[in-house]
Amino acid sequence: MSDTVVTSDVRVGEYTLRVHRAGRGNAETILFLHGSGPGATGMSNFAGTVAALSDTYDCLVVDQVGWGDSSHPEHTPPGSRLRQNVAACLGLLDELGLERVHLVGNSLGGALALHLLVRAPQRFGRAVLMGAAGAGTATTPSPAMMRLITFYDDPTARSMAELISFMLYDPTLFGDRLGAIAEERLAMAVRPEVERSHRQTFTMAPGAGPGLPEIALKRITNEVLLVHGREDVVVPPEGSEWFARRIPRARLYLLPHCGHWAQIEQAERFQAMTRAFLADAV
């Protein structure tokens, strides 16, 4: 099977989704759900993971509605971004003729994965969630998360590099490439429609958030692997511990020396664990 990434725009209802696909023709499909943050895209989260897994899996990486090169609605009611993304993801599966896929979701993408499992469990196999947002322990955003939310108070390359460093246990991981990575992500972040969507995403209705009621989590029947960096300061690991106690078929994999981006900072371990979990080998 080809590991070449093919990029296309797929019309789903009122939205257009930028879709990157590699490994098409493999028997099982993974839908990758990226996290939030200024300049975030599907491939900024998952390029390395797709390169590693597309030998075995049909890998779909999507810019969600409100991010990257997908649609940026002019008006999004407070607290409705996840509902938009749930509808768009299910519509995408219909458009591509995919009856059932696995999920891999990072941060807000982890919360989106849980919403999808609750909404349409029959459409999904197993789910891998890294640093998933929305746990009942998260009554207030962490200081690092607040820097992400308020990025547009100071949208500079320096601020972007600092924000990226907060995602990592070891900020030297990117070496002298950190500045270039920050500049690349900043170029996406400062697009007017991207900034507008960011502000819409983090404008919440009173009492709203990305979480689900505990009763909904307890009804999830899919197998779920919760992966969390032990040193995650953006979404603390207590969140995944909270999920693990409420999702009936969940298991927790805590990674030492790892921050919020497990799939990047501990790439080989994350890929090996994901392969084993999706193959029902752990």
Side-chain angles (χ1 to χ4, degrees):
M1 304 302 173
S2 173
D3 60 358
T4 301
V5 176
V6 176
T7 301
S8 61
D9 290 321
V10 180
R11 189 70 181 175
V12 178
E14 62 185 299
Y15 307 123
T16 297
L17 298 182
R18 175 62 56 90
V19 179
H20 309 275
R21 191 171 192 173
R24 183 171 185 173
N26 285 320
E28 296 181 84
T29 301
I30 304 173
L31 176 62
F32 291 87
L33 309 171
H34 64 75
S36 64
T41 65
M43 290 301 280
S44 74
N45 272 203
F46 293 118
T49 312
V50 166
L53 297 184
S54 60
D55 63 334
T56 306
Y57 294 96
D58 178 9
C59 297
L60 289 176
V61 184
V62 182
D63 289 356
Q64 297 299 326
V65 175
W67 279 274
D69 291 309
S70 289
S71 291
H72 292 265
E74 190 73 28
H75 301 289
T76 297
S80 65
R81 180 69 77 205
L82 274 175
R83 289 196 296 274
Q84 288 178 338
N85 293 155
V86 166
C89 286
L90 292 174
L92 176 67
L93 299 186
D94 291 339
E95 288 292 328
L96 298 180
L98 296 169
E99 293 184 6
R100 195 165 184 264
V101 304
H102 300 300
L103 296 171
V104 172
N106 174 228
S107 196
L108 188 62
L112 172 57
L114 291 173
H115 280 257
L116 287 166
L117 294 181
V118 168
R119 172 76 174 272
Q122 74 283 0
R123 303 297 301 270
F124 304 103
R126 294 178 169 231
V128 181
L129 316 181
M130 307 92 73
T137 56
T139 55
T140 58
S142 67
M145 177 61 79
M146 283 304 302
R147 294 296 292 271
L148 182 153
I149 293 170
T150 62
F151 172 80
Y152 289 97
D153 292 350
D154 180 30
T156 63
R158 179 193 59 79
S159 295
M160 181 64 79
E162 182 179 60
L163 182 59
I164 291 171
S165 75
F166 292 159
M167 304 290 169
L168 306 169
Y169 166 73
D170 180 8
T172 68
L173 176 69
F174 296 128
D176 58 7
R177 296 183 295 120
L178 179 58
I181 293 169
E183 290 281 2
E184 180 180 352
R185 187 150 171 165
L186 181 66
M188 173 65 73
V190 298
R191 285 167 41 178
E193 71 276 17
V194 173
E195 178 179 353
R196 182 184 71 238
S197 288
H198 177 95
R199 294 184 183 278
Q200 290 174 347
T201 298
F202 291 102
T203 300
M204 293 292 177
L212 286 159
E214 288 190 43
I215 188 63
L217 296 173
K218 290 176 180 178
R219 290 172 179 165
I220 292 175
T221 58
N222 306 72
E223 297 276 358
V224 175
L225 175 64
L226 299 155
V227 179
H228 217 118
R230 189 181 64 191
E231 287 78 27
D232 188 344
V233 298
V234 180
V235 178
E238 290 80 8
S240 282
E241 294 170 6
W242 187 89
F243 282 130
R245 293 188 180 98
R246 287 158 178 81
I247 300 171
R249 303 176 74 182
R251 62 205 74 179
L252 175 62
Y253 185 39
L254 193 65
L255 278 166
H257 305 140
C258 184
H260 192 53
W261 284 344
Q263 77 278 19
I264 294 173
E265 194 164 21
Q266 295 283 348
E268 291 185 3
R269 286 188 178 91
F270 174 75
Q271 292 157 16
M273 194 66 184
T274 298
R275 283 184 185 277
F277 175 70
L278 295 183
D280 195 17
V282 292

